[in-house]
Amino acid sequence: MKKKILLSLLASTILVAQEIELEQITVTSATKTAQSIEDVTSNVNVITSKEIEEKHYTTVTEALNSISGINFTSNGGLGTTSAVYLRGLDSKRTLVLIDGIRYNDITGLNGAPFGDLMIGDIEQIEIIKGAQSGIWGADATAGVINIITKSAKTGLHGSINAEFGSFNTKKYGLLASYKEDRYYIKAGLQQVDTDGFTAQSPNGDNIDMYEDDGYKNTTSNIKLGFNFDENNKIDMSHTIIYSKTESDPFATPNGIEDSITEDSFSQVNFNHKNSFTELDVYAKLSIFNRDYPQGWTKKFDGEIQEYGIKSNTPYNDDDFVVFGLDYKTFEHKNDLQKKYNNKAVFLTNSNEFTLLGSKTVVSESIRFDDYDKFDDKTTGKLGVKHFCKSVEGLITSANIGSSYNVPTIYNLYDPTYGNENLTPENTMSYDLSVGYKEFKVTYFNSTTKDMIDFDLNTWKYFNATGETKIQGFEIEYNTKLGEDVSLTSNYTWLDAKNSDDEVLSRRPKNTINLALDYYGVKNLHIGINGEYIGERYSNDNESGTRTGKYTVVNLVTNYSLNKNISIYAKIENLFDKYYQVLDGYATAPLSAYAGIKAQF
């Protein structure tokens, strides 16, 4: 019944659509250069700082979960292992970046460690959907998620925020920046500390029967830059994520299996501009350190070094070409002591055509990767976007691309589970979109060969024969209902099957997100948002425990005391719905939080 109500509301709101002026947004991840979102052919969603600050998300996963085509699972509360599924493909097949620096953990099995990504000083989150290996290389099969932190604004600025709530949760944040013509500096610190609740709980049990599993996260970031002159500048950034997670060993709700993580992400970029081109020379470093004092009783240390040069050359009025060279090394230290490297060359071209008054954007990307461990790879992407003149507001687009995922060093060399004969996965995907003003429908389709999986008979990783096929629809509708109410809504239908034509686990067939925001009272914002998760199962072939078919509703309110100070409160799981996203792992009941933010 709840599903029918939400579907009816989504359909009825389409009938009362009112045209609104969309805010101009620039994205950097679609073509590796700054570009208006209007001129990007790829399917792109952007979560802005305004939305983040109004919704008061705690984690990046919560924010991503509001986007069509995305759902997630987690092994308990804050800080536990989380998997984000983008168009049915799991985390290790999505390239995640922090300010353009790789966040995918080379020592892990799950790609990016989403559980440690807290919301801090984030300017926007860019989600580029579909195969992006032709631009970014390996691990961008499902798409790219780039988390962009805030930059310094001219003058002296700062902010401080604090939040308190359920499970003895405390959040603090500090941000300060200074910028003038020649240089800038910005520093931020965010901390989350909670007693939490049990990570594991048999389905149906009261989570209060078990001990709490706490979590602490401290994320710090610094950015600074210097302008030598109007044509030459240098920018640097450094992010540290420190966390301590309490969790439970498998099927042991009152057990102890703590972990400590200290990851860092650094880059230096020299930028030169002249009348012909813009040139970037960069170095990036991702360091991963994970320590499991109980359970695993071992350390996982990894490092990714990246060096490259990239040029962006405009020609004609609205056309440009991006060309670059890139070199990376991937190393897994400790017990494995293995590494491999990658050399690449990439090219992206974008053109804007006007024919009979209608605008069309065409982009082409190609990339060649040379690994010392795997066969060479050539991938590409083609995108077209057309703005119809005869029907104002009608936009159509199509994208097709090839991509691949490489085995992790653990997949290859672990003494017990590894398989040195593994080869990269290969994926071909495409999508077709039709948008009219605030309404958009997208069909997506991907086929993966040689998918890396785990054989429960041999206890080894292997390349599956056959093809993994995923297809689906995304429907998005965002508008204003009158002057004071904004509606954000999306619906995703997913059909995901493995190489044996069995439905893949942990992916809901239907997902609906709805949010209503009211601004009718001066200085006050009230928002209510809900999510419906359709049928899904804990195992492939619709077997195991059914973990879908539930609705969760949240409430948030913000009030500005003056131009510098605001207060807020939020209630999560407003109707105290009992559910599990993974069988045997606990989720939060009704919980409440309140906070304050001051800025200058």
Side-chain angles (χ1 to χ4, degrees):
M1 177 63 69
K2 292 178 180 178
K3 175 183 173 183
K4 291 180 179 178
I5 293 173
L6 286 168
L7 281 170
S8 299
L9 179 56
L10 177 60
S12 63
T13 53
I14 295 173
L15 300 178
V16 294
Q18 298 182 21
E19 184 176 356
I20 61 172
E21 183 178 348
L22 296 177
E23 181 182 1
Q24 183 66 42
I25 296 175
T26 298
V27 296
T28 60
S29 309
T31 55
K32 281 195 172 181
T33 191
Q35 191 176 11
S36 167
I37 193 172
E38 179 184 275
D39 296 329
V40 173
T41 64
S42 298
N43 269 270
V44 180
N45 291 93
V46 175
I47 303 171
T48 64
S49 59
K50 178 182 177 183
E51 180 182 353
I52 290 170
E53 291 170 6
E54 281 191 345
K55 298 286 196 303
H56 297 290
Y57 299 118
T58 298
T59 68
V60 169
T61 302
E62 290 177 35
L64 292 172
N65 195 51
S66 67
I67 299 299
S68 65
I70 293 182
N71 71 282
F72 79 98
T73 59
S74 63
N75 294 9
L78 281 178
T80 56
T81 301
S82 298
V84 171
Y85 296 84
L86 175 54
R87 288 184 171 176
L89 290 164
D90 57 24
S91 297
K92 56 182 170 287
R93 296 170 176 93
T94 298
L95 178 61
V96 180
L97 310 167
I98 298 177
D99 290 326
I101 310 166
R102 290 178 69 96
Y103 184 67
N104 292 53
D105 186 352
I106 187 62
T107 69
L109 295 172
N110 299 308
F114 279 100
D116 287 328
L117 279 177
M118 301 294 109
I119 291 290
D121 59 334
I122 294 177
E123 182 61 34
Q124 66 183 35
I125 303 173
E126 301 173 0
I127 303 101
I128 318 297
K129 299 176 181 176
Q132 305 297 321
S133 288
I135 300 167
W136 290 96
D139 309 326
T141 295
V144 174
I145 297 172
N146 191 13
I147 301 160
I148 302 173
T149 58
K150 291 182 178 179
S151 298
K153 298 184 293 184
T154 301
L156 178 64
H157 298 274
S159 67
I160 182 171
N161 61 275
E163 178 184 299
F164 306 92
S166 297
F167 318 114
N168 193 27
T169 300
K170 302 175 285 292
K171 290 171 57 179
Y172 308 101
L174 293 168
L175 179 66
S177 69
Y178 178 77
K179 181 179 181 180
E180 61 174 42
D181 291 341
R182 294 299 300 274
Y183 70 93
Y184 70 87
I185 183 169
K186 187 227 71 174
L189 177 70
Q190 303 287 328
Q191 187 173 89
V192 177
D193 191 350
T194 180
D195 291 345
F197 49 86
T198 181
Q200 294 190 33
S201 173
N203 197 352
D205 282 6
N206 187 331
I207 63 174
D208 293 334
M209 297 169 55
Y210 305 101
E211 47 81 43
D212 293 336
D213 291 312
Y215 178 68
K216 185 174 183 178
N217 179 295
T218 302
T219 299
S220 56
N221 172 272
I222 185 168
K223 284 183 171 181
L224 61 158
F226 182 80
N227 299 328
F228 298 101
D229 52 45
E230 62 181 9
N231 297 322
N232 299 280
K233 66 175 183 175
I234 189 168
D235 299 279
M236 293 170 281
S237 69
H238 183 61
T239 299
I240 299 174
I241 301 176
Y242 172 86
S243 68
K244 182 176 181 181
T245 307
E246 298 175 359
S247 59
D248 300 316
F250 179 70
T252 312
N254 282 327
I256 299 176
E257 191 174 81
D258 297 349
S259 64
I260 299 172
T261 298
E262 187 169 359
D263 299 339
S264 63
F265 309 91
S266 311
Q267 70 173 329
V268 178
N269 186 89
F270 173 76
N271 176 267
H272 169 76
K273 293 181 180 179
N274 57 44
S275 59
F276 174 70
T277 191
E278 180 176 357
L279 187 69
D280 288 285
V281 181
Y282 54 86
K284 302 177 183 181
L285 176 64
S286 304
I287 296 176
F288 302 92
N289 294 312
R290 292 180 292 132
D291 183 11
Y292 293 83
Q294 301 94 15
W296 284 85
T297 60
K298 64 186 298 185
K299 294 183 178 182
F300 293 83
D301 296 329
E303 186 174 287
I304 303 172
Q305 298 182 32
E306 180 176 356
Y307 308 94
I309 183 169
K310 174 177 67 74
S311 66
N312 176 20
T313 306
Y315 62 99
N316 300 328
D317 292 330
D318 301 294
D319 308 328
F320 64 87
V321 60
V322 174
F323 174 78
L325 302 171
D326 195 86
Y327 175 79
K328 302 185 190 75
T329 62
F330 302 84
E331 183 176 7
H332 189 309
K333 301 179 181 180
N334 306 114
D335 53 331
L336 295 186
Q337 293 295 336
K338 296 287 187 178
K339 65 189 297 184
Y340 56 75
N341 64 59
N342 163 256
K343 298 183 286 289
V345 56
F346 54 89
L347 178 72
T348 293
N349 181 71
S350 179
N351 300 102
E352 181 180 314
F353 303 97
T354 302
L355 183 63
L356 300 178
S358 294
K359 173 181 170 181
T360 300
V361 178
V362 180
S363 66
E364 315 93 10
S365 297
I366 189 168
R367 180 182 174 107
F368 175 77
D369 285 277
D370 176 14
Y371 281 90
D372 64 343
K373 173 60 184 174
F374 314 110
D375 291 339
D376 298 343
K377 288 289 181 183
T378 300
T379 50
K381 179 181 175 296
L382 174 65
V384 180
K385 191 172 190 179
H386 179 70
F387 300 79
C388 183
K389 179 185 177 183
S390 57
V391 181
E392 185 179 356
L394 178 64
I395 302 173
T396 57
S397 67
N399 296 275
I400 185 169
S402 57
S403 60
Y404 69 103
N405 265 58
V406 297
T408 67
I409 296 177
Y410 187 91
N411 292 147
L412 292 166
Y413 298 113
D414 181 79
T416 304
Y417 310 112
N419 178 1
E420 292 191 41
N421 296 316
L422 288 175
T423 60
E425 305 171 349
N426 296 281
T427 299
M428 180 67 70
S429 71
Y430 67 90
D431 58 54
L432 305 168
S433 297
V434 178
Y436 178 67
K437 297 184 179 180
E438 293 82 46
F439 180 67
K440 181 181 178 182
V441 180
T442 300
Y443 171 75
F444 58 88
N445 185 297
S446 70
T447 300
T448 301
K449 297 179 180 179
D450 304 318
M451 183 165 279
I452 298 169
D453 206 342
F454 188 73
D455 191 331
L456 293 176
N457 295 316
T458 64
W459 286 76
K460 297 281 186 180
Y461 291 98
F462 74 105
N463 289 104
T465 58
E467 298 178 339
T468 297
K469 297 182 178 180
I470 299 175
Q471 62 176 337
F473 285 97
E474 298 166 356
I475 301 175
E476 302 173 63
Y477 183 64
N478 307 315
T479 191
K480 279 190 174 181
L481 306 177
E483 294 184 357
D484 302 322
V485 179
S486 294
L487 167 73
T488 304
S489 61
N490 61 68
Y491 166 74
T492 303
W493 173 80
L494 183 69
D495 178 29
K497 293 182 179 178
N498 64 19
S499 56
D500 294 323
D501 202 34
E502 299 172 339
V503 174
L504 288 170
S505 65
R506 303 183 179 185
R507 292 120 166 124
K509 291 184 177 180
N510 301 280
T511 306
I512 300 172
N513 288 294
L514 284 173
L516 288 169
D517 294 279
Y518 175 71
Y519 303 92
V521 177
K522 184 179 180 181
N523 297 332
L524 178 68
H525 159 251
I526 300 174
I528 186 167
N529 62 82
E531 175 193 42
Y532 169 79
I533 293 293
E535 188 175 73
R536 68 179 171 193
Y537 291 85
S538 57
N539 299 324
D540 288 353
N541 201 28
E542 298 182 316
S543 61
T545 304
R546 191 181 76 182
T547 57
K549 289 200 170 182
Y550 61 83
T551 301
V552 177
V553 178
N554 309 304
L555 180 69
V556 62
T557 181
N558 302 275
Y559 184 74
S560 298
L561 299 175
N562 53 49
K563 67 178 183 179
N564 295 322
I565 301 175
S566 59
I567 56 176
Y568 65 90
K570 63 177 180 176
I571 300 175
E572 297 182 349
N573 196 354
L574 180 62
F575 299 114
D576 200 21
K577 175 67 177 179
Y578 184 92
Y579 67 100
Q580 290 192 340
V581 295
L582 282 180
D583 183 35
Y585 291 91
T587 55
L590 183 148
S591 48
Y593 306 86
I596 184 171
K597 180 178 181 180
Q599 57 187 356
F600 64 89

